[in-house]
Amino acid sequence: MKKLLQPFLVAIIMVGVVIAPSITFADSNGSTEAVNEKFGAPIVVFGGNLTEDQKKSVKESLKITENSDIQEIEVTGQDLAKYLKDGDASARMFSSAKITRKDAGKGLVINIVTPDNITEVTAEMYANAMLTAGIHDAVVEIAAPKPVTGHSALVGIYKAYEVTGGKLDPERTDVANDELSVATNLAKEAGIDDAKVSELLTEIKKQIAEKNPTSREEVEKIVSEQLSKLKIELSDKDRQLLIDLMDRIRKLDIDFSKWGDQLNDLSKTIEDKIGKIVDNEGFWQSVKEFFNKLIDSIRSIFK
């Protein structure tokens, strides 16, 4: 009887290991970060079409209380038209964000605090687009009170960045939005994993920064090389969208020597994420194999 129970006991322990949630401990000592007087208090930009209840929900997600030292602004369709060439001034805006500027060299930290409600744009996609737009050295937290694609949050980030004294080139912000659209299109329509899309965009941009291509043909060669290297197949239409985007990026007024370092940091973050995905897949495969063996073992007992 004891031998009969052993497989079941092991199975129960294994299920407990698989189901038990991972816990991340947050600092709960009530301390608050000092305001960087160079940039002022963090900016919280709310989607202009939020109801009062939705705004309250966003504040809770961003951990904003009555005692929080912040500046509040709204982003509307008018801002969309300002930062994007074809922006619709009547667009409804729900995505919201909190941006805290940091000193040079601190890099970008992106945190989507309501991941279930930002349905298309990932943290890495935001980071890539922000670097293209010229935003760096900031902590950005993104939230929405209901499911939205997340595209409008980028416009709110632009507005918040300029409120804190940053200056953005309209051509770069427009290209950055184009990049976000291409990224989400590749993930959604072409069926490429989100992390793989971000890796592809980052690696192509790193090559552009390194090789400084002077023609569309050279950009097309870089795109082809990276697609082959990462073993990604695209339709002719999606391939042309990607080449068009990268050719626009080539023509931007960017200090590619500095851009390369920022892209290397982002590339490392994406590689770590892809590594974790692969590790997780390996873990679940081992769990599957364990239970298959367990079932075979139980069947052999009763034969």
Side-chain angles (χ1 to χ4, degrees):
M1 184 65 180
K2 186 176 181 181
K3 289 183 177 180
L4 282 172
L5 287 173
Q6 282 179 344
F8 293 101
L9 289 172
V10 173
I12 290 170
I13 293 170
M14 195 65 190
V15 170
V17 171
V18 172
I19 296 177
S22 60
I23 299 173
T24 302
F25 293 96
D27 183 1
S28 58
N29 61 11
S31 62
T32 56
E33 186 177 357
V35 172
N36 187 329
E37 293 180 320
K38 185 192 301 182
F39 305 118
I43 300 285
V44 178
V45 52
F46 295 102
N49 294 100
L50 294 177
T51 64
E52 284 303 314
D53 285 343
Q54 289 173 333
K55 189 173 180 180
K56 181 180 178 182
S57 173
V58 167
K59 284 187 174 183
E60 290 174 354
S61 298
L62 294 172
K63 294 182 170 58
I64 297 169
T65 68
E66 292 181 358
N67 297 323
S68 298
D69 191 354
I70 58 169
Q71 301 180 61
E72 293 186 19
I73 60 174
E74 282 190 348
V75 60
T76 67
Q78 295 293 329
D79 297 304
L80 193 69
K82 173 184 176 182
Y83 291 107
L84 310 180
K85 288 181 179 178
D86 299 322
D88 182 0
S90 63
R92 293 169 62 79
M93 314 288 275
F94 293 97
S95 306
S96 304
K98 176 183 176 184
I99 180 168
T100 306
R101 294 279 303 278
K102 296 293 183 179
D103 290 320
K106 295 295 184 180
L108 276 176
V109 177
I110 315 296
N111 182 22
I112 299 176
V113 299
T114 57
D116 291 340
N117 287 342
I118 303 295
T119 63
E120 291 188 6
V121 187
T122 66
E124 292 77 22
M125 290 178 187
Y126 279 122
N128 245 320
M130 279 185 254
L131 287 179
T132 297
I135 297 175
H136 43 80
D137 303 316
V139 174
V140 179
E141 299 163 90
I142 298 160
K146 66 177 186 177
V148 294
T149 62
H151 287 75
S152 66
L154 191 59
V155 175
I157 293 166
Y158 295 159
K159 185 172 183 178
Y161 191 79
E162 292 204 317
V163 166
T164 57
K167 297 297 180 185
L168 297 175
D169 177 353
E171 179 64 20
R172 288 185 66 167
T173 58
D174 190 65
V175 173
N177 188 71
D178 188 15
E179 179 178 341
L180 203 60
S181 296
V182 170
T184 53
N185 180 75
L186 292 178
K188 186 177 179 181
E189 304 298 333
I192 304 173
D193 180 80
D194 292 337
K196 204 69 176 176
V197 170
S198 294
E199 182 182 29
L200 173 64
L201 295 178
T202 304
E203 292 305 312
I204 293 173
K205 286 157 70 175
K206 281 170 62 178
Q207 289 299 306
I208 289 175
E210 180 181 325
K211 297 180 179 180
N212 196 18
T214 57
S215 68
R216 181 184 174 86
E217 289 71 25
E218 290 178 8
V219 170
E220 189 170 354
K221 182 180 178 182
I222 289 173
V223 169
S224 297
E225 289 173 348
Q226 293 308 309
L227 285 172
S228 176
K229 177 183 175 182
L230 296 175
K231 298 179 181 178
I232 295 175
E233 294 185 7
L234 296 179
S235 66
D236 290 341
K237 178 183 177 182
D238 288 334
R239 190 186 187 92
Q240 286 306 310
L241 282 175
L242 187 57
I243 292 170
D244 290 344
L245 167 67
M246 292 303 164
D247 196 43
R248 288 190 71 190
I249 288 177
R250 169 185 72 85
K251 297 173 182 177
L252 293 175
D253 183 18
I254 293 176
D255 184 344
F256 285 111
S257 62
K258 293 181 180 178
W259 212 42
D261 292 337
Q262 295 166 344
L263 287 167
N264 283 332
D265 291 340
L266 178 57
S267 180
K268 180 65 170 61
T269 300
I270 295 169
E271 287 173 5
D272 290 345
K273 182 174 182 178
I274 291 176
K276 288 177 182 177
I277 291 172
V278 172
D279 289 345
N280 285 340
E281 289 175 348
F283 169 74
W284 287 109
Q285 181 61 32
S286 67
V287 170
K288 179 181 178 182
E289 291 172 357
F290 168 81
F291 280 105
N292 285 339
K293 290 178 181 178
L294 179 63
I295 291 169
D296 291 340
S297 176
I298 294 171
R299 283 174 178 166
S300 68
I301 291 172
F302 291 100
K303 281 183 179 179

